[in-house]
């Protein structure tokens, strides 16, 4: 018993160094060569000759195959006595390095940040909540770093924390408010890779910590979704890059579905932004942004159809103009326009019949005539 306990204590002295090597040698960082790992393995084997040599050889291999990487991770976990149960003792040394006064230097953060990421993503519910007070400051420190890799690692850790923590664990110490504040700062970050990580994190955090507006008995009261949407719509209105617009519209679609009827408080702003997006061609990406905008408008019709007649003229004019200019260029976009106008007619309950007849006499183009025939059920 005593010999076994002594062996465990000796092995645990190497946990921090092993995690540095494991994390830094992952797909996130290719700067640490095989020579460093082999040197570490040789030193460990010389110091403790009773260690299974085959395990150390497995640790030293450069695995490119996903299955082989998972096999190595199983060996590592067995050697580290499973981080779920011992994450507190394992992570303390790593956090000390990350939170060091000179931790902003990339040369000092390179090993700790990947070791920290490896430990966090291998820690599941309910252990992630138990050690949240240790993990959370390091995540914020990495997120505040000027280095893009640090931010991406922090956002991946944040996503994992949200997936494995409970609402009460995030709300008790105000972690949810701090996280949402930090995520909102990066909604319009210059790096698209960071924005792609931020948006899913923000949606998951809202879903975990706030009830959707449609469940509220007092819809007029402000809620976390309203606060986030105000910032989000401001970012959307100022965006000029087509690929970023498509990303924002996709996320807006999920927000509309989540808010349900509660989206009516932001209906005018959303319609204004989407109609503005529809004005710009996106031929380089096969009109992906415009197609996503039409899909989002269809979802708005589903959840806020009672208020749509007030915006019907603007929506109809934009859809018909789009169908007229893209009748031959993009069949998918043209079909989306036809379906949208038909749904708009149904939601307005005859309110745009006169406008549709006027458009038939005003436009002789084949695309507009085909759209009107489809809406009136002639095709």
């Amino acid at each position: 018993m005593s010999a076994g306990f002594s062996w465990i204590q000796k092995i645990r002295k190497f946990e921090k160094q092993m995690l540095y090597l494991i994390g830094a040698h992952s797909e996130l960082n290719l700067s640490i060569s095989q020579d460093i790992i082999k040197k570490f393995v040789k030193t460990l084997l010389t110091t403790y000759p009773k260690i299974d040599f085959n395990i150390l050889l497995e640790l030293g291999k450069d695995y490119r195959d996903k299955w082989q990487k998972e096999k190595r991770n199983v060996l590592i976990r067995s050697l580290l006595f499973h981080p779920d149960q011992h994450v507190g003792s394992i992570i303390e040394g790593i956090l000390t390095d990350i939170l060091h006064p000179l931790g902003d230097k990339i040369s000092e953060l390179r090993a700790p940040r990947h070791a920290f990421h490896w430990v966090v993503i291998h820690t599941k519910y309910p252990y992630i909540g138990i050690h949240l007070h240790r993990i959370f400051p390091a995540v914020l420190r990495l997120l505040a770093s000027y280095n893009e890799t640090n931010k991406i690692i922090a956002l991946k850790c944040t996503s994992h924390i949200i997936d494995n923590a409970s609402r009460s664990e995030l709300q008790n110490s105000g972690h949810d408010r701090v996280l949402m504040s930090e995520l909102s700062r990066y909604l319009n970050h210059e790096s698209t890779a960071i924005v792609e990580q931020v948006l899913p994190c923000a949606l998951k955090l809202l879903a975990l910590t706030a009830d959707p507006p449609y469940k509220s008995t007092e819809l007029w009261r402000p809620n976390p979704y309203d606060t986030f949407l105000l910032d989000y719509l401001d970012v959307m209105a100022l965006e000029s890059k087509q690929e970023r617009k498509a990303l924002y519209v996709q996320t807006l679609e999920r927000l509309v579905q989540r808010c349900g009827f509660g989206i009516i408080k932001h209906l005018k702003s959303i319609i204004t932004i989407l109609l503005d997006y529809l004005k710009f061609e996106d031929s380089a990406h096969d009109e992906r942004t415009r197609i996503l905008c039409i899909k989002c408008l269809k979802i708005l019709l589903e959840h806020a159809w009672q208020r749509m007649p007030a915006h019907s003229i603007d929506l109809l004019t934009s859809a018909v103009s789009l169908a007229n200019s893209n009748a031959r260029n993009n069949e998918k976009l043209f079909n989306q326009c036809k379906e949208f106008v038909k749904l708009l007619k149904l939601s307005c309950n005859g309110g745009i019949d006169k406008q549709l007849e006027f458009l038939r006499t005003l436009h002789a183009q084949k695309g507009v005539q085909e759209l009107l025939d489809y809406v009136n059920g002639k095709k």
Side-chain angles (χ1 to χ4, degrees):
M1 293 291 289
S2 59
F5 181 77
S6 175
W7 170 244
I8 290 176
Q9 294 290 15
K10 289 178 180 179
I11 286 290
R12 292 185 67 81
K13 291 180 181 180
F14 286 88
E15 285 175 344
K16 179 180 169 183
Q17 288 78 9
M18 288 176 65
L19 286 171
Y20 284 170
L21 290 170
I22 294 160
H25 194 60
S26 67
E27 65 276 9
L28 296 174
N29 184 9
L30 301 177
S31 62
I32 293 187
S33 67
Q34 285 298 308
D35 293 337
I36 297 177
I37 291 185
K38 289 177 180 177
K39 183 178 179 181
F40 171 76
V41 168
K42 184 178 179 181
T43 303
L44 188 60
L45 185 62
T46 305
T47 308
Y48 298 106
K50 292 183 180 180
I51 296 179
D52 188 346
F53 184 73
N54 292 324
I55 290 180
L56 295 179
L57 285 179
E58 292 291 335
L59 291 176
K61 287 182 180 178
D62 181 14
Y63 288 125
R64 302 293 180 184
D65 182 76
K66 184 178 180 181
W67 182 85
Q68 293 288 353
K69 285 183 179 180
E70 182 58 31
K71 180 182 177 182
R72 184 178 65 175
N73 285 338
V74 171
L75 291 171
I76 292 165
R77 283 197 292 270
S78 66
L79 198 55
L80 293 179
F81 309 105
H82 206 286
D84 276 355
Q85 299 177 16
H86 302 283
V87 67
S89 59
I90 293 174
I91 209 169
E92 289 293 350
I94 300 171
L95 295 184
T96 302
D97 292 348
I98 294 176
L99 300 175
H100 192 271
L102 299 178
D104 283 333
K105 291 185 177 180
I106 301 305
S107 60
E108 295 187 27
L109 269 176
R110 182 174 296 160
R113 69 188 180 189
H114 294 297
F116 173 73
H117 174 253
W118 191 90
V119 171
V120 171
I121 64 174
H122 284 84
T123 307
K124 311 293 183 181
Y125 178 85
Y127 301 102
I128 200 80
I130 297 172
H131 302 287
L132 195 59
H133 66 283
R134 292 186 177 98
I135 298 170
F136 195 72
V139 171
L140 295 181
R141 181 63 177 271
L142 288 171
L143 193 58
S145 171
Y146 66 87
N147 182 261
E148 183 176 330
T149 303
N150 292 344
K151 292 182 185 295
I152 291 175
I153 288 175
L155 290 168
K156 288 183 177 180
C157 291
T158 300
S159 178
H160 182 81
I161 290 169
I162 295 170
D163 289 337
N164 289 274
S166 65
R167 175 185 286 197
S168 59
E169 288 168 340
L170 286 174
Q171 287 182 336
N172 284 344
S173 301
H175 291 146
D176 60 328
R177 294 191 297 273
V178 176
L179 267 182
M180 184 54 68
S181 175
E182 289 296 314
L183 293 174
S184 298
R185 290 174 52 197
Y186 296 102
L187 289 175
N188 60 342
H189 195 273
E190 60 183 7
S191 171
T192 303
I194 290 177
V195 176
E196 288 174 347
Q197 294 287 334
V198 167
L199 295 178
C201 280
L203 291 182
K204 288 196 293 186
L205 184 61
L206 281 172
L208 177 64
T209 60
D211 293 325
Y214 70 85
K215 290 187 177 181
S216 175
T217 56
E218 298 176 323
L219 195 60
W220 57 271
R221 287 188 180 275
N223 58 72
Y225 281 89
D226 292 332
T227 305
F228 179 77
L229 270 167
L230 290 173
D231 294 335
Y232 188 72
L233 293 175
D234 285 342
V235 170
M236 285 189 69
L238 296 174
E239 187 54 59
S240 59
K241 297 178 181 178
Q242 288 296 335
E243 56 186 27
R244 294 282 285 268
K245 286 182 178 180
L247 183 61
Y248 288 138
V249 174
Q250 277 184 312
T251 305
L252 179 63
E253 182 180 324
R254 295 175 61 187
L255 280 168
V256 172
Q257 291 175 326
R258 182 68 179 168
C259 291
F261 181 68
I263 203 66
I264 59 171
K265 290 191 284 186
H266 307 278
L267 188 61
K268 185 176 181 181
S269 298
I270 293 174
I271 290 176
T272 301
I273 291 171
L274 291 179
L275 292 182
D276 184 59
Y277 278 18
L278 287 172
K279 295 177 183 177
F280 298 95
E281 292 186 7
D282 187 23
S283 55
H285 300 88
D286 200 25
E287 299 292 359
R288 180 167 175 261
T289 303
R290 283 175 158 178
I291 292 172
L292 289 172
C293 287
I294 295 294
K295 288 182 178 180
C296 191
L297 286 170
K298 287 163 68 176
I299 294 173
L300 278 174
L301 277 172
E302 178 184 347
H303 293 288
W305 58 270
Q306 299 93 331
R307 300 290 180 89
M308 280 302 184
H311 306 278
S312 59
I313 302 300
D314 292 334
L315 292 169
L316 180 61
T317 303
S318 181
V320 171
S321 175
L322 195 60
N324 182 40
S325 61
N326 289 274
R328 294 291 176 266
N329 298 337
N330 192 308
E331 191 68 23
K332 188 175 181 180
L333 178 59
F334 182 62
N335 291 335
Q336 289 289 338
C337 288
K338 290 195 299 183
E339 293 175 8
F340 171 70
V341 175
K342 188 170 186 177
L343 289 173
L344 182 63
K345 179 185 177 182
L346 292 174
S347 66
C348 292
N349 196 21
I352 60 171
D353 288 349
K354 291 183 179 180
Q355 286 80 5
L356 290 172
E357 290 301 320
F358 178 72
L359 286 171
R360 183 179 291 278
T361 60
L362 183 65
H363 293 276
Q365 291 88 344
K366 185 177 179 180
V368 176
Q369 296 299 324
E370 185 179 342
L371 181 146
L372 295 175
D373 289 341
Y374 179 83
V375 171
N376 292 322
K378 295 181 180 179
K379 279 193 178 181

